[in-house]
Amino acid sequence: MRKSLLVFMSLVASLSILAACSNTTEQKTESVTLPMISDKIQNETKEIMEQSKLVKDTAITIDQKNKVISLTVTASSDTNSDYAEVIGLNFAKTLAIGAATDKENNLHKPENDSLGALYSIYDLRNTVKQENGKVLAKGKKATNETKITWERAQ
C-alpha cells in the first residue's frame, strides 16, 4: 500500500511539472493583440487638442511593428516650455482615453498620475514645437515606465 501511494504521488508530481511546463510554453508563443486606434479616435483626439488657441496643428503616428506612438504638436509662438509639457501630456491622455472607449481594446483610462494602459503596450514619443520649428519639449515613455520623461529646449 505504501509503495503504491509513493508511485501515485510521484505520478501526480510529474504530471504537475509537465502541466506547468506546457503552460509556460503556451504563454510564450501566444501573440499579444495590439489595441487598435481607429482613424475616428485619432481624428477626434486631434480635434479636441486643436480647440486650444495655443495648439495650431497635431499629428499622430502609430508604428505597430515597433509598438511606438508618436505625438507631435505645433503650438503657437506664445507657448513656453512649461506649457508645452502640459499640452503634450494632455495630448497623450486624450488619445489614451479615446483608445480606452473602444470596448474591443479592453484598456483602462488614464487617472490622476496614470497615463492609462495604452502606454504600457506602446512606447510614447511626444514632441511639442512652435510654428517656426523650434522644439519646446520632447517627451518619451517606455512601456515599463510610469511617467513621461521630458527634455526642454534651451
Side-chain angles (χ1 to χ4, degrees), residues 37-54:
I37 304 165
S38 69
D39 289 341
K40 179 183 176 191
I41 290 171
Q42 292 180 50
N43 290 333
E44 287 174 355
T45 299
K46 292 166 65 172
E47 286 174 18
I48 290 167
M49 291 303 299
E50 291 169 10
Q51 288 177 4
S52 168
K53 291 180 182 179
L54 293 177

Side-chain angles (χ1 to χ4, degrees), residues 76-146:
S76 73
S77 57
D78 298 335
T79 307
N80 63 31
S81 295
D82 290 332
Y83 200 69
E85 288 183 21
V86 172
I87 292 171
L89 178 62
N90 286 342
F91 196 9
K93 283 188 171 185
T94 303
L95 181 63
I97 289 168
T101 59
D102 186 341
K103 299 212 184 292
E104 290 180 23
N105 286 335
N106 196 26
L107 299 171
H108 68 82
K109 294 179 182 179
E111 300 173 356
N112 302 328
D113 292 337
S114 163
L115 289 171
L118 182 63
Y119 305 112
S120 63
I121 299 167
Y122 287 95
D123 288 340
L124 173 64
R125 302 291 175 261
N126 202 327
T127 303
V128 181
K129 61 184 180 176
Q130 290 179 330
E131 293 173 284
N132 63 10
K134 177 185 175 187
V135 175
L136 297 171
K138 279 189 167 194
K140 61 183 175 177
K141 180 198 163 307
T143 56
N144 62 341
E145 298 171 334
T146 58

